[in-house]
């Protein structure tokens, strides 16, 4: 029996964006490896294994579409309740989309800040990257080839998972290459 139609849904008023790679897709200009959408401040962990490059460098390249508050955590464990001082939260579009920050643990003291109005957009995909070197240097940048706009060094890095979230019911659309 041939399949002629397929249906998609979400549950309990959940927001979901579906993407299908198509040749010549001009809307995004890229074919994402993973698409996720977050609508709250609850983290869902993903292993960093596929983002480890030669020399034990962690490198995440992704696109964000959101009005504000795109949160990504780098942590040693997959359990958000066990995040401790060894976890770092990177927020793009924080302070009503006026900048970015790297902070230890969830919602605590900033280690590095960057001021830039309209850092992210609800209307267009914005490219970003995060690189973590074995010496603990966490760098955040826009577009491949551009220098980092923010960095922080942790003397004892231990990152095995990344997690994504948004804040205050904001919707963040993520696409990872």
């Amino acid at each position: 029996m041939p399949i002629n139609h397929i249906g998609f849904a979400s549950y309990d008023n959940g927001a979901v964006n579906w993407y299908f790679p198509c040749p010549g897709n001009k809307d995004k200009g890229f074919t994402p490896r993973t698409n996720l959408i977050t609508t709250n401040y609850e983290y869902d962990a993903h292993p960093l294994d596929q983002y480890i490059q030669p020399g034990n460098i962690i490198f995440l390249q992704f696109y964000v579409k959101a009005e504000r508050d795109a949160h990504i955590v780098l942590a040693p464990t997959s359990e958000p309740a066990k995040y401790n001082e060894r976890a770092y939260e990177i927020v793009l579009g924080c302070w009503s989309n006026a900048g970015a920050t790297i902070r230890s643990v969830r919602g605590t003291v900033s280690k590095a800040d960057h001021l830039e109005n309209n850092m992210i957009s609800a209307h267009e995909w914005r490219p970003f990257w995060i690189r973590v070197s074995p010496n603990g240097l966490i760098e955040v940048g826009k577009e491949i080839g551009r220098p980092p706009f923010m960095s922080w060094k942790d003397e004892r890095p231990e990152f095995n998972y990344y997690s994504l979230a948004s804040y205050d019911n904001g919707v963040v659309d993520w696409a990872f290459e």
Side-chain angles (χ1 to χ4, degrees), residues 3-52:
I3 298 174
N4 296 316
H5 298 87
I6 187 166
F8 299 95
S10 65
Y11 176 72
D12 197 23
N13 296 318
V16 177
N17 284 353
W18 300 93
Y19 295 100
F20 300 91
C22 300
N25 187 341
K26 304 280 189 229
D27 179 42
K28 290 187 275 304
F30 64 94
T31 302
R33 180 188 302 172
T34 304
N35 284 93
L36 301 163
I37 189 164
T38 55
T39 59
N40 58 36
Y41 201 39
E42 296 298 322
Y43 286 102
D44 185 23
H46 308 276
L48 279 168
D49 297 349
Q50 65 183 339
Y51 299 105
I52 297 175

Side-chain angles (χ1 to χ4, degrees):
M1 173 190 299
I3 298 174
N4 296 316
H5 298 87
I6 187 166
F8 299 95
S10 65
Y11 176 72
D12 197 23
N13 296 318
V16 177
N17 284 353
W18 300 93
Y19 295 100
F20 300 91
C22 300
N25 187 341
K26 304 280 189 229
D27 179 42
K28 290 187 275 304
F30 64 94
T31 302
R33 180 188 302 172
T34 304
N35 284 93
L36 301 163
I37 189 164
T38 55
T39 59
N40 58 36
Y41 201 39
E42 296 298 322
Y43 286 102
D44 185 23
H46 308 276
L48 279 168
D49 297 349
Q50 65 183 339
Y51 299 105
I52 297 175
Q53 297 184 335
N56 243 0
I57 294 170
I58 297 168
F59 188 78
L60 294 111
Q61 180 181 351
F62 55 95
Y63 296 78
V64 172
K65 192 191 298 188
E67 186 177 323
R68 59 181 169 75
D69 292 307
H71 295 239
I72 185 165
V73 164
L74 301 174
T77 177
S78 64
E79 299 177 43
K82 294 185 179 177
Y83 286 170
N84 56 31
E85 70 277 356
R86 309 293 341 132
Y88 287 93
E89 183 177 48
I90 298 164
V91 186
L92 304 169
C94 55
W95 314 308
S96 298
N97 201 12
T101 189
I102 299 173
R103 55 192 182 198
S104 60
V105 196
R106 202 168 127 157
T108 60
V109 178
S110 292
K111 301 294 186 179
D113 296 325
H114 173 76
L115 297 176
E116 180 181 333
N117 286 326
N118 301 313
M119 172 166 274
I120 58 179
S121 169
H123 307 291
E124 68 180 19
W125 290 98
R126 300 273 171 95
F128 292 93
W129 55 265
I130 297 171
R131 179 176 41 231
V132 182
S133 301
N135 68 358
L137 182 62
I138 302 167
E139 298 174 294
V140 182
K142 292 180 178 180
E143 302 178 30
I144 297 298
R146 291 184 61 186
F149 60 80
M150 183 172 62
S151 63
W152 169 254
K153 188 170 183 180
D154 179 335
E155 297 298 330
R156 299 176 303 143
E158 184 187 347
F159 304 125
N160 299 308
Y161 294 90
Y162 73 97
S163 298
L164 307 171
S166 56
Y167 183 71
D168 197 26
N169 295 317
V171 175
V172 179
D173 204 349
W174 304 83
F176 282 76
E177 288 200 44

